[in-house]
Amino acid sequence: MSVWYPYTQMKKLGDLPVVVKAEGSSLHFENGKIVLDAISSWWACIHGYNFKPLNKVLKKQIDSFSHVMLGGLTHQPAMNLANKLVQITPKGLNHVFFADSGSVAIEVTMKMAIQYWSNQNQNKKVKFISLKNGYHGDTFKAMEISDDSDLNQAFKHILTKDFVVEIPQKSVEDFSEKINAFNVLLENHHHEIAAIVLEPILQCAGGFHIYEPSFLNKVNLLCKKYNILTIYDEVATGFGRTGKLFATDYLDHAPDMLVLGKALTGGYLGHAAVITKTKVFNQFLSDKHEFAFMHGPTFMANPLSCTVALKSIEVFEKENYLKKIKSINKLMHQNLTSIKSNKVKAIRIIGAVACIEFISKKELKGFNDFALKHNVFIRPIDKYLYIMPSYRMKKKELRSIISVIEKWIFKIK
Ligand SMILES: *Cc1c(COP(=O)(O)O)cnc(C)c1O
């Protein structure tokens, strides 16, 4: 077996469907079967597959140049995309550092945060606050700020956890309790904390938990008061997933650094971006070379990635994707909230995301094969069954995905 598959016990690997073509919201398998993709390839392919406007700009860019390094050189696709990202992200975010994946972009922000303080001679501010149930990627520093899920199990003995904060439940009492705890944490430890890293409004891989903007508004004020940087990871929530262009648009402030990935290129190529406030950028300006940020992924600002990202954003704006997302949201509400089953613990819907939390992982045993049999590709994470369709998915297609889920719930009743 030459391919080593992700998140998979290879000893138990069964036959995987071989994709030979993908079109719209459908995957075509080698055996002739055509299935609907309910999760748009790890949430990245927001336009669906084989999307002609993106194909076209990529072909043109390939004939011009596919890649040049960003060290000592620059190019129009990089400059154009950076300008565009500054324009569409919340006010105050002005400088773009490119990376080749979400995890690497997270590493970049954490390095930036530590150096932001060390450039000011504050070498003790090196720790991070993260949220319970967060997920920020699979590299080492990203694992340290992600939840202790089975993803990190094998490394538990070497990971350093700094500070983990819980998001509040919906009650007023819990809200003030969590804020007070946060306040105490900062009061006692601000001198050793570089930054807080979190997924705003919606935590994705860690269980699709939704929380109130007011909590983050408060957290932000306290971070300002105690000199702690804010890093918002929108690798999953960016580009419309929560119903606004960025989840940060629900808040009354911008973070010091914002991270984008996944849907950035419309799912065509792996790429990510860190967008920072001028306050962060300026701490690296100096006559001393060692104050510069010494990091540079080989394929950062790859011209193909930048070109396709620009076009993806242009289509998003021109075709009013936020409206499409609204109608997906409406359909999800209409069809999912009525589900009643003692096997279902909760149903959460925001933007173009629906999550059905089962009472345990057991209730989903065999579900993937069941769904495939009914022509749907879907892959729960632990006990969380979720739908994150492409924004161009047809109503009929989304309904048939939901009906397969209903059939399953009826079956295990
Ligand atoms: C997927 C994800 C990452 C990691 O991105 P990769 O491109 O897989 O490295 C980081 N943060 C969040 C919120 C994600 O969903």
Side-chain angles (χ1 to χ4, degrees), residues 43 101-103 135-137 199 233 235-236 262:
W43 335 328
S101 74
S103 304
Y135 174 78
H136 300 285
E199 296 157 277
D233 177 353
V235 171
K262 288 194 167 92

